[in-house]
């Protein structure tokens, strides 16, 4: 039996259908991310699990217990918000101890737990400070410690890092994941940042317009997207049009250049189909393992630190389709220049056939 069971969850605001037939089973200790654009229903779903929103239909069970009709403080959950929501008139230690005090935890036990949590979040000497004396990253650590102090069964985080700068986000997401693994607490993490979801999660729920479009581990979500939305939302993508020449062998042309995908295509000869390639699946020149070659003319070269991204216009009878690819920035290999004609290779197994 799953630790968290969400079945046939629905949410309406008036005539607006915000969450549609949402189903998810979460194992004990699993880290799940809800990933999607603003307005997709991910925070509403989290708030229904927390008890801040009432489902229009469906069930939510935590550790075998139906919690739909329970108040938030009866569900034994910890919640970390986007806004840190720390009490400005309380010290760090008092903020962390807040839930313990409400629960009537004996003073000595509460003090020991606060000291333990401050050690876990690597702020053992800042208990006497007030929130305004902390950086944004430190305040979010305190919010996490406050949520974890009462030993909740389930931890919920609603875009907790979105207000922080990039370097702090990277550091803090690593710390959150390390703490989650150390404590073994089941966690639901809401984010619109695909890098966060891919780097932190055991599984990702990609949401769009209230629907869970795909649930899977990061490798599957990125490399084997189940829907066009997942393919385009998660990672960068080259969206191309190809014309079928032999459906049985997967032979197509891309701007007149022949490519054989080596797998059947469910479209008749002469039909135009969408085909997608990740930039990192493409290589300049004839790379080892590649079994397809396209020719193009370089239009733009962008230096992105360790990576150089090249955009080229494909040559051929139709012409004009643009394709971007990445290569490592090394002193041994100078990137092509604008106007150069180049060969771009890829393994056909990496070509994604998406719906129109």
């Amino acid at each position: 039996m799953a630790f968290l069971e969400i079945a046939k969850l629905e949410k309406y605001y008036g005539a607006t259908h915000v969450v549609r037939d949402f189903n998810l089973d979460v194992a004990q200790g699993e880290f799940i991310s809800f990933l999607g654009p603003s307005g997709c229903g991910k925070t509403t779903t989290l708030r229904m699990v927390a008890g801040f929103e009432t489902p229009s239909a469906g069930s939510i069970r935590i550790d075998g217990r139906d919690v739909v009709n329970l108040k938030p403080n009866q569900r034994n959950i910890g919640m970390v918000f986007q806004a840190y929501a720390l009490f400005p008139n309380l010290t760090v230690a008092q903020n962390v101890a807040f839930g313990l005090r409400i629960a009537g935890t004996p003073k000595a036990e509460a003090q020991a737990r606060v000291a333990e949590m401050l050690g876990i979040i690597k702020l053992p000497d800042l208990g006497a400070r007030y929130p305004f004396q902390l950086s944004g990253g430190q305040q979010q650590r305190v919010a996490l410690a406050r949520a974890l102090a009462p030993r909740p069964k389930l931890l919920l985080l609603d875009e907790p890092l979105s207000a922080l700068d990039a370097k702090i986000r990277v550091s803090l997401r690593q710390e959150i994941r390390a703490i989650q693994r150390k404590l073994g607490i089941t966690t639901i993490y809401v984010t619109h940042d695909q890098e966060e979801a891919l780097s932190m999660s055991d599984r990702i729920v990609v949401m769009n317009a209230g629907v869970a479009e795909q649930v899977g581990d990061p490798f599957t979500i990125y490399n084997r997207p189940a829907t066009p939305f997942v393919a385009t939302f998660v990672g960068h993508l080259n969206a191309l049009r190809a014309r079928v020449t032999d459906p049985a062998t997967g032979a197509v042309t891309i701007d007149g250049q022949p490519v054989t995908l080596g797998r059947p295509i469910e479209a008749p000869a002469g039909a135009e189909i969408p085909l997608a390639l990740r930039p990192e699946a493409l290589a300049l020149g004839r790379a080892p393992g590649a079994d397809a070659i396209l020719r193009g003319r370089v239009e733009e070269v962008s230096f992105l630190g360790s990576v150089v991204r090249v955009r080229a216009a494909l040559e051929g009878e139709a012409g004009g389709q643009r394709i971007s690819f990445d290569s490592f920035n090394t002193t041994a290999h100078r990137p092509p220049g604008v106007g150069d004609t180049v060969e771009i290779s890829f393994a056909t197994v990496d070509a994604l056939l998406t719906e129109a």
Side-chain angles (χ1 to χ4, degrees):
M1 182 178 67
F3 179 78
L4 171 64
E5 301 169 88
I6 305 174
K8 299 180 179 179
L9 202 63
E10 304 270 351
K11 182 62 180 180
Y12 289 88
Y13 290 120
T16 304
H17 204 174
V18 180
V19 177
R20 306 164 183 263
D21 192 26
F22 187 94
N23 299 274
L24 182 67
D25 286 346
V26 181
Q28 174 72 52
E30 198 171 13
F31 193 111
I32 301 289
S33 288
F34 292 171
L35 174 66
S38 297
C40 71
K42 58 187 185 295
T43 293
T44 301
T45 303
L46 189 81
R47 289 176 62 84
M48 286 190 283
V49 174
F52 300 129
E53 298 283 354
T54 302
S56 301
S59 65
I60 302 170
R61 302 181 69 85
I62 300 176
D63 199 15
R65 183 188 188 193
D66 188 342
V67 300
V68 166
N69 295 315
L70 297 182
K71 296 177 181 179
N73 62 351
Q74 298 173 318
R75 300 189 184 198
N76 196 10
I77 61 169
M79 185 84 182
V80 179
F81 299 92
Q82 179 177 343
Y84 316 128
L86 298 177
F87 300 109
N89 59 322
L90 300 182
T91 66
V92 166
Q94 290 169 336
N95 266 282
V96 175
F98 183 79
L100 298 170
R101 182 169 63 83
I102 295 298
T105 305
K107 185 175 180 180
E109 181 182 338
Q111 288 176 336
R113 180 61 173 169
V114 168
E116 178 187 0
M117 294 311 305
L118 291 179
I120 287 175
I121 63 170
K122 301 179 181 178
L123 299 176
D125 301 321
L126 301 187
R129 291 191 184 182
Y130 287 88
F132 75 89
Q133 297 173 308
L134 305 178
S135 68
Q138 290 172 331
Q139 289 184 53
Q140 196 57 285
R141 287 190 184 94
V142 174
L144 177 62
R146 182 179 60 184
L148 292 170
R151 295 184 172 86
K153 290 183 176 181
L154 180 65
L155 177 64
L156 307 177
L157 301 102
D158 187 10
E159 303 204 44
L161 308 182
S162 61
L164 304 174
D165 67 51
K167 284 190 176 181
I168 294 176
R169 284 204 306 271
V170 171
S171 173
L172 198 49
R173 75 190 185 205
Q174 293 170 344
E175 292 184 29
I176 289 173
R177 186 60 163 125
I179 291 169
Q180 186 268 338
R181 285 190 174 119
K182 179 178 180 178
L183 299 178
I185 187 170
T186 308
T187 300
I188 307 293
Y189 188 99
V190 165
T191 182
H192 63 271
D193 187 320
Q194 56 185 277
E195 186 175 306
E196 278 184 12
L198 291 167
S199 65
M200 297 177 72
S201 311
D202 293 314
R203 285 189 297 154
I204 299 170
V205 181
V206 183
M207 297 187 66
N208 179 38
V211 175
E213 296 234 349
Q214 186 174 358
V215 181
D217 62 84
F219 180 89
T220 302
I221 292 292
Y222 190 86
N223 292 298
R224 297 290 179 264
T227 69
F229 174 80
V230 177
T232 54
F233 185 77
V234 181
H236 298 286
L237 201 68
N238 289 295
L240 303 172
R241 306 297 300 182
R243 190 167 300 279
V244 179
T245 56
D246 184 356
T249 64
V252 301
T253 59
I254 303 172
D255 284 357
Q257 302 186 49
V259 171
T260 300
L261 301 177
R263 57 188 186 273
I265 298 174
E266 295 182 2
E272 191 176 74
I273 62 170
L275 185 146
L277 288 160
R278 301 282 188 198
E280 65 271 20
L282 300 160
L284 183 64
R286 304 191 177 219
D291 53 2
I293 301 288
L294 296 172
R295 287 175 59 84
R297 187 174 299 277
V298 175
E299 290 188 334
E300 184 178 342
V301 179
S302 300
F303 287 90
L304 307 175
S306 60
V307 171
V308 178
R309 178 156 294 175
V310 179
R311 188 182 70 177
L314 295 180
E315 296 181 343
E317 59 189 27
Q321 291 196 82
R322 268 63 179 178
I323 192 166
S324 296
F325 61 94
D326 295 339
S327 61
F328 286 110
N329 180 19
T330 66
T331 55
H333 298 92
R334 188 172 182 83
V338 173
D340 289 354
T341 297
V342 294
E343 288 186 329
I344 305 162
S345 63
F346 62 95
T348 52
V349 69
D350 292 326
L352 304 174
L353 293 173
T354 62
E355 298 176 13

